Amino acid sequence: MTIRLIRGDITVQESEAIVNAANSSLMGGGGVDGAIHRKGGKAILDACIKIRNKQGKCRTGEAVITTAGLLPAKYVIHTVGPVWNKGKSNEETLLSDCYRNSLRLADEYQLTSIAFPNISTGIYRFPKDLAADIAIRTVRKYKDEHPDSSIREISFICFDSENYDLYESILESTQE
Ligand code: AR6
């Protein structure tokens, strides 16, 4: 399982699954969520509506999977990151849950590649340095604990250079 760092737009990635930083309504929004629904087309929203009708809202830290519609990926894994509340609402654990539950879902579907955005670090205001640290630690732990995982490649897609620089320095300074 290799970990890649990429600067850019997650909607153009060709990983089998891309992860969406959604909200619990699953009905779309701004940021990366808006971009995925806009470019992926109506099929994604239709699939989200079906999930809503079946299970209700998606809770913070959990993940669901849909088609990727018109995007190059096959699937979108929608996960709901925590809104930053000065660290007083279990946000660190919930953010870690987002990464772990997305990876678990990818494994359930026997997927070989998955791309993550920097969940919660935009509209939800999670501190970027702490979020990067949690993302990298959680993914590495998952990798160590799941030697039989179908996932061969995990990509972190950083849209802004601040996140890219943080990931680069953490990945370099904490080699596996
Ligand atoms: N590709 C990759 N990353 C992106 C893209 C893109 N096209 N666009 C933005 N980012 P955000 P959140 C980065 O705000 O903080 C929505 O309204 C962005 O630079 O998208 O989890 C949802 O519906 C940032 O680093 O998600 C929720 O209501 C990261 O994606 C709420 O926002 C996450 O920023 C979720 O907030």
Side-chain angles (χ1 to χ4, degrees), residues 8-10 21 23 29-33 35 118 120-124 159-160 163:
D9 180 348
I10 204 161
N23 61 64
V32 68
D33 193 9
N118 309 130
S120 282
T121 67
I123 293 162
Y124 283 176
F159 198 59
D160 57 276
N163 264 317

Side-chain angles (χ1 to χ4, degrees), residues 22-174:
N23 61 64
S24 57
S25 81
L26 298 175
M27 293 297 104
V32 68
D33 193 9
I36 287 173
H37 278 279
R38 215 167 29 247
K39 294 195 185 170
K42 192 171 167 295
I44 300 179
L45 186 61
D46 287 346
C48 285
I49 291 171
K50 277 199 182 132
I51 293 170
R52 274 290 304 261
N53 291 341
K54 207 166 137 199
Q55 68 159 57
K57 290 186 175 185
C58 182
R59 282 189 304 208
T60 306
E62 294 187 351
V64 299
I65 189 165
T66 68
T67 171
L70 304 169
L71 298 174
K74 277 198 204 132
Y75 298 96
V76 175
I77 294 175
H78 306 260
T79 187
V80 182
V83 178
W84 180 251
N85 181 31
K86 299 181 188 158
K88 293 184 288 192
S89 304
N90 204 24
E91 298 99 304
E92 296 187 34
T93 304
L94 290 166
L95 185 62
S96 179
D97 289 346
C98 288
Y99 285 91
R100 200 176 42 259
N101 287 326
S102 298
L103 291 164
R104 192 182 293 156
L105 207 44
D107 253 329
E108 248 175 70
Y109 277 70
Q110 293 285 298
L111 306 184
T112 56
S113 54
I114 180 169
F116 284 100
N118 309 130
I119 301 165
S120 282
T121 67
I123 293 162
Y124 283 176
R125 302 182 323 274
F126 203 108
K128 290 180 180 174
D129 50 353
L130 183 55
D133 193 56
I134 291 167
I136 292 167
R137 258 192 292 128
T138 305
V139 162
R140 282 182 174 161
K141 187 160 187 275
Y142 187 90
K143 184 178 155 194
D144 291 345
E145 290 177 354
H146 296 82
D148 299 331
S149 169
S150 60
I151 305 166
R152 305 265 48 94
E153 188 181 84
I154 299 173
S155 305
F156 289 116
I157 315 298
C158 298
F159 198 59
D160 57 276
S161 50
E162 194 187 345
N163 264 317
Y164 183 88
D165 293 346
L166 278 167
Y167 273 76
E168 191 175 42
S169 101
I170 297 172
L171 286 168
E172 268 172 20
S173 65
T174 58

